[in-house]
Amino acid sequence: FFFQAEDGLRDSSTSRGLGDVYKRQLQDGRGQNALQLLQSQFAQRPEGQRLELGLLLADLHRQLDQSKAAADLYQQLAKESAEDVRAVIALAMLHQEQGNAAQVQRWLEQARLRRGNNDRPDPLIDDLAYRWGLRAARVRAEQQRSEVPAPTP
């Protein structure tokens, strides 16, 4: 999802397209190595100058099935970059993947506020809310079905 963030990193003289590098490592089964390297890069950047790198790191956590670490980092980034909507939308997406419709709505509402559209329609947020709300409801229904024990004959 946020491997596209590497485009913003190419401006840095030290970057060399980090998104592409870490994406290849993840595909080659070296996700933990990529995670360690990216965490080191992230720690070296000051707050307010690491949003794109942080989004990349959080997405790598998500792809390595480390949802809690991804959520924690997305929340940290949302606090550090209070005017930017990307970390908030990423949190909504993470909750959508988990089937948590209430949290999807919560974070999309935060995104709406950050975009300055708290009292009027916002096509981007409204579309995401509709699509992700339905998808989250389907995930939740599938989870409930799998939790119901099969009837005994």
Side-chain angles (χ1 to χ4, degrees), residues 3-70:
F3 280 117
Q4 296 89 347
E6 57 88 13
D7 287 337
L9 295 172
R10 288 183 198 261
D11 297 335
S12 169
S13 61
T14 61
S15 160
R16 296 185 331 265
L18 288 175
D20 292 336
V21 171
Y22 296 117
K23 186 175 181 181
R24 276 192 300 278
Q25 287 185 351
L26 181 64
Q27 291 169 342
D28 292 343
R30 297 179 293 149
Q32 289 300 322
N33 182 47
L35 187 65
Q36 290 172 348
L37 292 171
L38 200 50
Q39 285 172 326
S40 174
Q41 290 278 329
F42 180 78
Q44 294 174 16
R45 297 219 179 152
E47 287 186 18
Q49 296 180 13
R50 59 189 187 176
L51 175 64
E52 288 83 9
L53 190 61
L55 291 170
L56 189 63
L57 176 57
D59 191 49
L60 186 55
H61 278 296
R62 188 182 59 77
Q63 291 189 34
L64 292 171
D65 292 325
Q66 300 171 358
S67 298
K68 171 100 171 77

Side-chain angles (χ1 to χ4, degrees), residues 62-104:
R62 188 182 59 77
Q63 291 189 34
L64 292 171
D65 292 325
Q66 300 171 358
S67 298
K68 171 100 171 77
D72 290 347
L73 185 52
Y74 286 138
Q75 287 180 3
Q76 177 184 346
L77 294 169
K79 288 177 187 171
E80 288 180 13
S81 302
E83 300 297 317
D84 198 289
V85 72
R86 291 175 289 175
V88 176
I89 289 177
L91 274 164
M93 182 185 73
L94 183 66
H95 287 289
Q96 176 268 318
E97 290 173 349
Q98 297 169 344
N100 189 339
Q103 288 297 314
V104 169

Side-chain angles (χ1 to χ4, degrees), residues 74-75 77-79 81-93 95 101-120 122 124-126 128-129 132:
Y74 286 138
Q75 287 180 3
L77 294 169
K79 288 177 187 171
S81 302
E83 300 297 317
D84 198 289
V85 72
R86 291 175 289 175
V88 176
I89 289 177
L91 274 164
M93 182 185 73
H95 287 289
Q103 288 297 314
V104 169
Q105 294 302 319
R106 173 183 173 228
W107 289 109
L108 287 177
E109 185 58 32
Q110 288 297 314
R112 178 187 309 281
L113 293 173
R114 284 185 185 215
R115 287 172 51 93
N117 292 326
N118 53 336
D119 59 349
R120 61 185 186 277
D122 183 317
L124 170 71
I125 303 301
D126 293 342
L128 287 175
W132 287 357

